[in-house]
Amino acid sequence: MSFKILSGLLLISGALFAQRSAETQIKVLEEEALRFIQNEQYAEAIPPLNKIIAATGLKTHEDYKALYRRAICYFYLEEFQLALNDLNLFIPEFNSIPQPYIMRALIYRSLNESRKQISDLNVALSLPAQEDLSKLFRWRAAALMSLNSYDSAALDIRNSMRAEADAEGYAYLGFIQFNQNKYDSALRSINSAIEVDYTYLPGYLYATSF
């Protein structure tokens, strides 16, 4: 009886040792990958991330960190489809935070996919965020302008200027109004841009083109 108990304890201790050994190995790989990422060595970071993903099998939410980091590496390496593949796996597991949607929108911007870019920005702007949303509004406005959706773009620019009415915002608004054939409004917006910041060069360039 005591022999069976001892054998069972040995089996348990062996399993625990193997588990701890695997966890230690993953920790080492994580540190290696992070070191490469911090040094902007994105190609070198991918092999350890691949090993982490293979070893964990993405069984827990914690495991998905490696997938997201790999997507970032692929993005910087301009391997956009591979980055999208990783994000398309990541987002369903973390669909209540804006960052992965913003990351995917960045990829779509690089691919000149305006509609998909806008779709992800719509989601990101609808989710709770700690960061300043004005940049996202302005980014979406630029994407909307590329589709000639000037009314929606103007609304986004106005939303982006709620916290602070800056020269760039007025210049964007003037450009949109010009394309809406609202020439007087466009000129007023450009004048406002110059009044807010007389060093803002695009304001003068737009003013001379109207």
Side-chain angles (χ1 to χ4, degrees):
M1 182 70 172
S2 59
F3 177 77
K4 289 182 179 179
I5 292 172
L6 181 60
S7 297
L9 289 172
L10 286 171
L11 287 171
I12 292 169
S13 63
L16 287 172
F17 178 79
Q19 182 181 353
R20 287 174 183 170
S21 177
E23 289 172 356
T24 300
Q25 186 179 12
I26 288 170
K27 185 69 175 176
V28 169
L29 289 168
E30 283 179 346
E31 290 172 355
E32 181 184 2
L34 281 174
R35 187 167 60 252
F36 283 131
I37 291 170
Q38 288 164 358
N39 292 328
E40 299 182 7
Q41 295 174 278
Y42 301 112
E44 289 80 358
I46 289 174
L49 291 172
N50 288 342
K51 290 176 182 177
I52 294 168
I53 292 165
T56 63
L58 303 177
K59 293 183 179 69
T60 69
H61 273 188
E62 185 70 14
D63 300 336
Y64 278 81
K65 285 193 303 185
L67 191 70
Y68 190 68
R69 287 168 179 162
R70 190 173 69 177
I72 292 171
C73 291
Y74 282 140
F75 171 76
Y76 281 112
L77 293 169
E78 298 186 1
E79 295 282 359
F80 297 127
Q81 190 55 56
L82 292 174
L84 282 175
N85 292 344
D86 282 354
L87 285 173
N88 290 340
L89 288 174
F90 183 88
I91 285 174
E93 301 294 325
F94 298 88
N95 58 12
S96 61
I97 56 175
Q99 285 79 9
Y101 292 101
I102 294 169
M103 184 70 204
R104 193 165 66 179
L106 276 171
I107 295 169
Y108 285 135
R109 183 170 69 179
S110 299
L111 295 172
N112 296 316
E113 294 271 9
S114 294
R115 294 186 189 281
K116 291 180 179 179
Q117 185 185 156
I118 291 166
S119 178
D120 275 341
L121 289 174
N122 289 345
V123 178
L125 282 163
S126 73
L127 294 170
Q130 301 296 321
E131 60 196 70
D132 178 14
L133 295 180
S134 61
K135 291 180 180 179
L136 292 184
F137 278 120
R138 205 158 290 187
W139 174 4
R140 188 172 67 178
L144 287 164
M145 281 190 280
S146 73
L147 298 175
N148 299 325
S149 298
Y150 294 113
D151 290 344
S152 297
L155 181 61
D156 270 358
I157 292 298
R158 293 187 189 280
N159 283 330
S160 78
M161 295 169 69
R162 283 179 181 174
E164 181 182 5
D166 62 337
E168 183 188 62
Y170 279 120
Y172 262 116
L173 190 59
F175 180 77
I176 292 168
Q177 290 164 334
F178 181 81
N179 282 280
Q180 292 174 309
N181 300 322
K182 298 177 179 178
Y183 303 119
D184 290 342
S185 296
L187 189 56
R188 283 195 295 271
S189 293
I190 295 303
N191 286 337
S192 295
I194 295 170
E195 287 172 8
V196 169
D197 182 1
Y198 69 90
T199 66
Y200 185 67
L201 183 60
Y204 295 97
L205 295 176
Y206 285 144
T208 57
S209 66
F210 287 177

